[in-house]
Amino acid sequence: MQDRYDVSYDEAYDFAIIGSGPSGSVLAHYLTEAGARCVMLEAGKGLDKQTYPSNELHANSQLMWNGGMDISKDAQLLFLRGKVLGGGSVVNQCLLDRFDALALNDWRAQSNVSWHTLTDFERHYDEVESHLALHHFSPDEHQTNAKLFMQGLDKCHMQWAPLRRGQSQCGFNHETGQANDCMQCLGGCVRDAKQSMPVTFLKKAQAQGLNVLTDFNVAQVIHGQHFVSIYGHQFGQVRSIRARHCILAAGAIGTTELLLKSGFLPALPALGQGFTCHPQRMNIGLFDEVVDAHKGRFQSVKSDDPSFRQQGFKLENVFAGPIAISMLKPGFGREHQDFMQQYRHMACIEVAVRDASTGQILLNNQGKLVIDKQLMQADLQRIQAGLNAVDRVFDAVKAKSVLKSPFTFGLHLMGGCVMGDSPYKSVVNSDFGIWKHKRLSIADSSIFPNAPGINPSLTIMAMAHKASENLLKQYPSTEIYNQQRESTRTLAAEAALVQKGSLNEPFLSEKPFNESLLNNERANG
């Protein structure tokens, strides 16, 4: 095995942030605003409105990990996660809701973290929202798919509410006569209207001096007494970064997998535990009249019925492009073709479930990622309750037939590095620090104690703001300013002393630099 010091250290920073989604970008903004020298490492490509893929097929292959085909161990769940500068904020709908008391009370009951309350979160919600353009859809903005959904809910005496979306001047299509007429949204916004990270927090952080390294696949993180060493590869070349503090913001799967591959499991027995998601099923209703659910604001309404919340599910009007819709119907041939020819006559209602059971993220004997997440009886009961509600809604608006897709998508991935008050039952403490590793923090969805049943994006941003405050207390601004001037010289000197054996740098891994691991990561891309 190659000695770890044969790899040169390219650059040194105050903070290294792994991941560029809602957590990493918000952290980058507040830390650089305070004067810290920061680097962001992103495995995906740095695309923008000029270069986002123009169709579904390329969007999946270019913007998602494994082409959007991460599957559970039992192949019953398909997980979607972004791999592009901006992370999940580029490929999601930017629906931004605050958590309710039910979600945060359940968090506090499981984590024993005192600040998991609506009162404590309010200030952080207010702060991050002040940087975003937020839009509630009004009645005159709903397209036919949404109107059918609302009519069905009204006839069934079920409550609904408009969705709140992060968007600014989404535009008007003169050809169709509709605004927000853009199915491209899930493949990257070509108008820079969606409030994704590259046009909000990340853009501000870059203007404040953030160094962004895209196509950077991190293979290993090593926690030392004086600094954190990060090894990876970029454009086929081995790279290494050193920082006084490292923040993992690569999402539930990415953050957990990196810590597992870096050898932290012996010190963190809860690592990989508590993985959750929001299982979702899409249901297609066919109508005689043209619906054109792919035009206009294709997601603008949600159910808001208290009984649904108590039963652990919600309904939303959604839709997708023809490739995704075609995958919902099993089979092939003439029957499948006849189904797709009715694309313009389709309406869609999604059942989204609050996960009732947890899974585990782990590595197999070959060091490959395994997502052991099953839909247990309680989850299936919640799904069925939602499907029953969908039947009632579609029946109320006279759908000719309803396709209930058998495929379950796992969205809003959470857990694996849960926050709590015990190093034996959690990975992260109440200050976002990894137990026993003072120079490592996590502030992404991997720290969620359980599934909230509400879109997590805004809360991830709020927690990132709180985490930035904690880090700036740990490293006061005067120290950061001094480090900004001296960090490169100091860390380079410390690294040289370590190499010469003049400075005792007690790494926590028995094999701090694993060349075979790095080579495997390079081969797998």
Side-chain angles (χ1 to χ4, degrees):
M1 179 178 291
Q2 174 181 330
D3 184 88
R4 68 179 181 271
Y5 305 126
D6 288 345
V7 177
S8 62
Y9 295 98
D10 298 326
E11 301 171 58
Y13 297 87
D14 295 316
F15 297 101
I17 302 168
I18 302 174
S20 64
S23 173
S25 291
V26 170
L27 277 157
H29 164 63
Y30 290 109
L31 294 176
T32 54
E33 184 180 52
R37 175 175 160 85
C38 298
V39 64
M40 175 178 285
L41 309 179
E42 167 57 48
K45 297 184 180 301
L47 304 178
D48 58 25
K49 67 178 182 179
Q50 303 295 335
T51 54
Y52 286 133
S54 61
N55 61 71
E56 291 177 83
L57 181 62
H58 292 156
N60 279 355
S61 62
Q62 295 180 30
L63 306 181
M64 298 281 190
W65 281 94
N66 302 313
M69 289 293 178
D70 283 323
I71 60 173
S72 60
K73 183 179 179 181
D74 64 0
Q76 295 302 304
L77 280 165
L78 179 66
F79 304 106
L80 305 178
R81 53 186 179 124
K83 184 185 180 184
V84 63
L85 185 63
S89 74
V90 171
V91 297
N92 67 22
Q93 262 287 75
C94 206
L95 302 176
L96 301 174
D97 287 329
R98 297 186 178 197
F99 283 6
D100 60 10
L102 176 64
L104 290 173
N105 288 342
D106 286 351
W107 270 22
R108 190 171 65 256
Q110 185 162 331
S111 67
N112 288 322
V113 173
S114 61
W115 57 264
H116 284 170
T117 68
L118 277 176
T119 301
D120 285 294
F121 263 94
E122 184 174 2
R123 177 174 64 86
H124 304 290
Y125 282 136
D126 288 342
E127 169 57 30
V128 295
E129 286 177 356
S130 71
H131 293 265
L132 302 166
L134 301 173
H135 179 73
H136 273 106
F137 290 104
S138 60
D140 62 333
E141 293 180 296
H142 301 302
Q143 37 85 295
T144 305
N145 188 32
K147 291 177 180 178
L148 287 169
F149 182 49
M150 293 184 292
Q151 291 168 13
L153 290 170
D154 286 339
K155 290 181 178 181
C156 295
H157 306 290
M158 300 171 179
Q159 298 180 35
W160 58 268
L163 287 167
R164 187 174 74 159
R165 187 171 189 261
Q167 67 175 58
S168 174
Q169 300 179 349
C170 194
F172 184 84
N173 189 317
H174 293 281
E175 182 179 340
T176 64
Q178 299 192 63
N180 291 66
D181 193 18
C182 189
M183 286 291 290
Q184 174 75 13
C185 188
L186 301 180
C189 179
V190 297
R191 297 169 178 164
D192 277 352
K194 184 170 70 173
Q195 299 291 278
S196 58
M197 294 302 100
V199 299
T200 54
F201 287 97
L202 180 54
K203 182 178 180 179
K204 294 179 180 181
Q206 288 180 283
Q208 292 160 181
L210 173 70
N211 186 19
V212 176
L213 301 179
T214 58
D215 296 272
F216 194 114
N217 286 276
V218 178
Q220 191 176 24
V221 173
I222 299 168
H223 180 273
Q225 180 179 351
H226 301 281
F227 41 75
V228 178
S229 300
I230 303 166
Y231 298 95
H233 58 89
Q234 184 186 36
F235 305 121
Q237 300 296 316
V238 174
R239 293 291 303 272
S240 58
I241 300 291
R242 286 206 167 185
R244 295 189 181 277
H245 200 99
C246 176
I247 306 150
L248 288 87
I253 293 177
T255 291
T256 306
E257 180 184 16
L258 180 55
L259 289 175
L260 288 169
K261 288 186 173 181
S262 297
F264 284 85
L265 183 58
L268 301 169
L271 181 60
Q273 304 290 334
F275 174 68
T276 62
C277 64
H278 289 147
Q280 302 193 13
R281 295 262 187 99
M282 294 177 69
N283 306 275
I284 302 295
L286 293 175
F287 291 82
D288 288 323
E289 64 270 23
V290 171
V291 177
D292 278 345
H294 61 293
K295 294 182 179 181
R297 303 161 182 85
F298 71 97
Q299 190 171 6
S300 59
V301 183
K302 63 179 179 180
S303 65
D304 194 33
D305 199 284
S307 68
F308 291 0
R309 182 69 170 139
Q310 292 299 323
Q311 293 177 73
F313 72 88
K314 67 177 178 179
L315 307 180
E316 290 181 348
N317 83 293
V318 298
F319 206 61
I323 294 177
I325 294 295
S326 70
M327 294 174 62
L328 299 179
K329 182 175 176 60
F332 54 91
R334 181 62 180 271
E335 181 182 356
H336 195 278
Q337 185 181 47
D338 289 344
F339 172 76
M340 288 306 300
Q341 285 179 340
Q342 300 178 81
Y343 183 76
R344 296 188 62 197
H345 295 258
M346 295 177 184
C348 184
I349 301 174
E350 174 186 77
V351 176
V353 171
R354 187 184 185 193
D355 217 346
S357 55
T358 63
Q360 181 180 4
I361 300 170
L362 64 158
L363 303 178
N364 63 18
N365 292 335
Q366 289 76 44
K368 301 295 184 181
L369 175 70
V370 175
I371 307 171
D372 189 3
K373 179 72 180 76
Q374 300 180 42
L375 291 174
M376 306 304 286
Q377 188 61 37
D379 302 308
L380 296 174
Q381 288 176 348
R382 293 181 177 189
I383 290 173
Q384 188 57 54
L387 293 176
N388 292 342
V390 168
D391 278 340
R392 292 177 59 194
V393 172
F394 272 139
D395 184 63
V397 290
K398 308 299 189 220
K400 292 193 304 181
S401 61
V402 177
L403 169 69
K404 296 179 181 177
S405 175
F407 299 107
T408 307
F409 298 91
L411 304 184
H412 308 154
L413 312 181
M414 301 161 284
C417 299
V418 299
M419 177 179 282
D421 64 346
S422 165
Y424 303 103
K425 296 181 180 180
S426 61
V427 173
V428 172
N429 61 36
S430 61
D431 291 326
F432 301 92
I434 296 180
W435 292 107
K436 306 174 187 176
H437 301 81
K438 66 179 182 179
R439 296 188 180 275
L440 293 176
S441 297
I442 308 175
D444 60 22
S445 62
S446 68
I447 69 175
F448 282 23
N450 50 50
I454 298 172
N455 192 298
S457 294
L458 186 67
T459 299
I460 294 170
M461 289 186 249
M463 291 197 306
H465 174 249
K466 182 175 178 63
S468 72
E469 292 183 333
N470 290 359
L471 287 167
L472 291 172
K473 288 178 183 177
Q474 184 176 344
Y475 301 93
S477 60
T478 53
E479 180 181 344
I480 286 177
Y481 297 142
N482 290 332
Q483 288 174 4
Q484 186 173 353
R485 293 192 296 268
E486 302 292 336
S487 61
T488 300
R489 181 189 64 78
T490 302
L491 289 181
E494 288 180 352
L497 289 172
V498 171
Q499 290 177 354
K500 293 177 181 179
S502 303
L503 181 65
N504 181 24
E505 172 70 346
F507 292 98
L508 296 182
S509 171
E510 292 182 2
K511 298 178 180 179
F513 177 61
N514 188 332
E515 185 184 19
S516 62
L517 172 61
L518 185 61
N519 289 336
N520 286 338
E521 291 296 304
R522 292 178 65 188
N524 293 332

